Amino acid sequence: MAAQFSGVLMLTDLDDFITPSQACVKPVKLEKKPGKSVSKIQIEDDGSYFQIDQDGGKQKLEKAKITLNDCLACSGCVTSAESVLIALQSHEELFKVLRDNKLASATDQVVVVVSVSPQSRASLAARFGMSSSETGRRLTSFLKGLGVHHVFDTGFSRTFSLLESQQEFLERFQRREQDKTALPMLTSSCPGWICYAEKTHGEFILPYISTARSPQQMMGSLVKDYFAGAQGLNPRQIFHVAVMPCYDKKLEASRPDFYLEETETREVDLVITSGEVLTMLEQEKVILNEVEAAPLDELFSNVKGNELLSHAGGGSGGYLHHVFTHTAKHLFGEEVKELTYKTLKNKDFQEVTLERDGEVLLRFAAAYGFRNIQNLVQKLKRGKSQYHFVEVMACPSGSLNGGGQLKALPDQSSKELLQQVDQLYRAEMPSVPEDDARVKELYQTWLQSAGEERARGLLRTQYHGVEKMSSGLTAKW
């Protein structure tokens, strides 16, 4: 499979889309019998493993149970979260929690909160022939009918991510002469890219990566800190689910950095993909566009009237767009109304510049897919990167094309589906992060009262280089 990609990717044995080309280092449990030696392991077309003894004996092997620690510690796969057996990171766990809630006493029930990403909403909208906002209203109705208490929109928490990214870039730009790792600032909202950076390039690349939390983990802070406090709940009394376009988001939620030691709970307890939501609908025999719409939960939803809002700048969150326009205005007094993207080597590597009197003031880029990520990292290592900021995504075409999105129907090509999802996503009215009055209010109340150090922990994160080992399974994160 690696032969489809560049020579560099073939050498590093990486795939360019969420699926591993390397076999997991812990695939099966071998059963050594006295007096017999194993000559080889045979893998059948259906994925079954067989142990072949030297005397020709053949025995089917049980697949090994791979824990999340095994996966995170392994240096083999990079963005292969969808192939890892993460027992509690599935929609079945959500069904279980909802069933247990119905049987529990009022004091033992948990408050179930589901946060839905705009990309997942657009993917479901394409399948059921609705607008993204209408999909949000009907999905809210479906989930609440199952027993979910609150449904929020991570477009709201993304406003915090964008504002923090803007602020961090200004800080880095102003110290660029003293700190050679201040620029380029590389975005951090894609966990596949972060996992790769930590395991493959470690301490060299990590200083360049933005410390702003992703929208998923910003919502984790909002739900398990602000919302829990406002409701008079211990964070452990809330079960927080995120609906995301990417399987790697399951790994992001499971990072120790997002575990609350004091209350022994994760900020995001469970991540399910857009495709898993479709599976839930099918299991419940529900057709989403036939569900009666419900009002959107406005506490943590980016709404105007009854319509959900988005952010300008494309389907991966608009980081390049908003950091560029904000910096152009605040550092150079330039009001940039529309960005002009220049495609370079391929459609997934684009550049935006701000020029004045022939001088380039800002040079930003978007690099999607591991082809472009590899080239970006190699230029950084050779000291040849000219960029101030790069929006990095592991998936070709970005988040709208995440591995957890709905797949094309038999009469539709993947390209046609992606175009449809993109149109639905962009059809939402854009909002400007700096103009969000409710977010400003939370900065002034919730975050100021938390104190500077704690507020930083609620808004920012950190990264950890992973040393390669001959057997990574003993490492603990």
Side-chain angles (χ1 to χ4, degrees), residues 405-417:
Q405 296 282 69
L406 275 63
K407 308 307 177 188
L409 294 170
D411 61 346
Q412 184 180 40
S413 71
S414 297
K415 183 178 179 180
E416 290 171 340
L417 174 60

Side-chain angles (χ1 to χ4, degrees), residues 178-206:
Q178 296 77 34
D179 180 2
K180 297 304 179 184
T181 63
L183 298 177
M185 186 171 105
L186 312 176
T187 56
S188 57
S189 61
C190 171
W193 145 242
I194 294 300
C195 187
Y196 165 72
E198 290 181 322
K199 293 178 180 180
T200 309
H201 300 287
E203 298 305 323
F204 167 76
I205 202 72
L206 299 185

Side-chain angles (χ1 to χ4, degrees), residues 118-350:
Q119 292 90 348
S120 293
R121 211 169 53 239
S123 184
L124 289 161
R127 173 58 60 91
F128 291 100
M130 297 183 289
S131 71
S132 184
S133 288
E134 184 66 18
T135 300
R137 290 190 288 271
R138 294 181 189 270
L139 186 59
T140 296
S141 179
F142 168 68
L143 291 169
K144 289 189 173 181
L146 294 176
V148 171
H149 298 92
H150 302 276
V151 181
F152 298 140
D153 165 35
T154 62
F156 181 80
S157 55
R158 189 168 66 195
T159 299
F160 284 91
S161 297
L162 292 170
L163 291 171
E164 287 300 305
S165 296
Q166 291 173 354
Q167 181 59 35
E168 183 179 5
F169 181 77
L170 291 180
E171 294 166 0
R172 284 172 175 261
F173 193 88
Q174 290 164 350
R175 70 169 194 266
R176 66 192 184 282
E177 298 299 331
Q178 296 77 34
D179 180 2
K180 297 304 179 184
T181 63
L183 298 177
M185 186 171 105
L186 312 176
T187 56
S188 57
S189 61
C190 171
W193 145 242
I194 294 300
C195 187
Y196 165 72
E198 290 181 322
K199 293 178 180 180
T200 309
H201 300 287
E203 298 305 323
F204 167 76
I205 202 72
L206 299 185
Y208 294 100
I209 300 177
S210 168
T211 61
R213 284 179 175 231
S214 70
Q216 173 179 291
Q217 296 309 139
M218 284 288 191
M219 188 62 84
S221 289
L222 285 163
V223 169
K224 289 291 181 94
D225 192 274
Y226 176 80
F227 179 74
Q231 298 291 314
L233 297 170
N234 184 301
R236 291 179 64 181
Q237 295 174 281
I238 300 173
F239 189 79
H240 182 201
V241 182
V243 178
M244 289 287 145
C246 171
Y247 284 93
D248 288 338
K249 286 290 182 181
K250 296 173 186 280
L251 295 180
E252 180 181 35
S254 302
R255 290 174 69 91
D257 305 278
F258 304 129
Y259 182 79
L260 304 175
E261 295 283 355
E262 190 174 328
T263 51
E264 299 180 327
T265 185
R266 297 196 182 281
E267 293 174 331
V268 179
D269 297 284
L270 175 68
V271 177
I272 59 176
T273 63
S274 318
E276 286 176 287
V277 172
L278 179 62
T279 300
M280 292 175 65
L281 288 162
E282 290 171 346
Q283 288 182 359
E284 294 295 308
K285 296 180 172 55
V286 171
I287 299 173
L288 190 59
N289 53 10
E290 295 179 358
V291 174
E292 185 176 348
L296 297 164
D297 282 322
E298 295 192 12
L299 177 62
F300 295 147
S301 291
N302 207 7
V303 295
K304 184 175 183 180
N306 203 29
E307 295 296 307
L308 285 155
L309 305 178
S310 187
H311 295 100
S316 293
Y319 290 87
L320 185 156
H321 178 99
H322 289 284
V323 174
F324 188 91
T325 55
H326 183 80
T327 305
K329 179 179 180 180
H330 286 267
L331 289 186
F332 303 107
E334 297 282 349
E335 291 275 359
V336 180
K337 299 295 185 184
E338 187 173 342
L339 274 63
T340 301
Y341 290 82
K342 178 183 178 182
T343 300
L344 299 180
K345 295 184 177 181
N346 53 70
K347 66 180 179 62
D348 280 325
F349 197 98
Q350 296 185 310

Side-chain angles (χ1 to χ4, degrees), residues 65-68 71 81 84-90 250-251 254:
K65 189 74 170 180
I66 300 174
T67 69
L68 195 57
C71 174
V84 178
L85 307 176
I86 306 174
L88 296 183
Q89 286 279 2
S90 77
K250 296 173 186 280
L251 295 180
S254 302

Side-chain angles (χ1 to χ4, degrees), residues 19-165:
T19 306
S21 61
Q22 295 178 321
C24 178
V25 296
K26 190 182 178 184
V28 292
K29 293 177 179 177
L30 295 177
E31 295 185 12
K32 184 74 167 71
K33 295 181 179 179
K36 292 197 180 253
S37 58
V38 178
S39 60
K40 65 177 181 178
I41 300 297
Q42 179 177 312
I43 304 177
E44 300 293 315
D45 291 339
D46 63 358
S48 302
Y49 290 90
F50 286 85
Q51 176 177 315
I52 309 299
D53 300 325
Q54 284 187 338
D55 61 4
K58 184 177 179 181
Q59 179 183 0
K60 188 172 182 178
L61 296 170
E62 178 188 354
K63 289 185 179 180
K65 189 74 170 180
I66 300 174
T67 69
L68 195 57
N69 265 341
D70 293 331
C71 174
L72 290 171
C74 170
S75 298
C77 334
V78 176
T79 58
S80 58
E82 72 180 288
S83 70
V84 178
L85 307 176
I86 306 174
L88 296 183
Q89 286 279 2
S90 77
H91 67 282
E92 293 295 346
E93 178 66 10
L94 174 55
F95 276 135
K96 179 180 180 299
V97 169
L98 294 172
R99 286 196 301 268
D100 290 347
N101 242 14
K102 290 176 181 178
L103 298 173
S105 64
T107 55
D108 291 332
Q109 289 181 355
V110 293
V111 174
V112 182
V113 173
V114 176
S115 301
V116 183
S117 73
Q119 292 90 348
S120 293
R121 211 169 53 239
S123 184
L124 289 161
R127 173 58 60 91
F128 291 100
M130 297 183 289
S131 71
S132 184
S133 288
E134 184 66 18
T135 300
R137 290 190 288 271
R138 294 181 189 270
L139 186 59
T140 296
S141 179
F142 168 68
L143 291 169
K144 289 189 173 181
L146 294 176
V148 171
H149 298 92
H150 302 276
V151 181
F152 298 140
D153 165 35
T154 62
F156 181 80
S157 55
R158 189 168 66 195
T159 299
F160 284 91
S161 297
L162 292 170
L163 291 171
E164 287 300 305
S165 296

Side-chain angles (χ1 to χ4, degrees), residues 69-70 73-74 469-477:
N69 265 341
D70 293 331
C74 170
M469 309 172 228
S470 58
S471 176
L473 300 180
T474 57
K476 299 297 178 185
W477 282 39

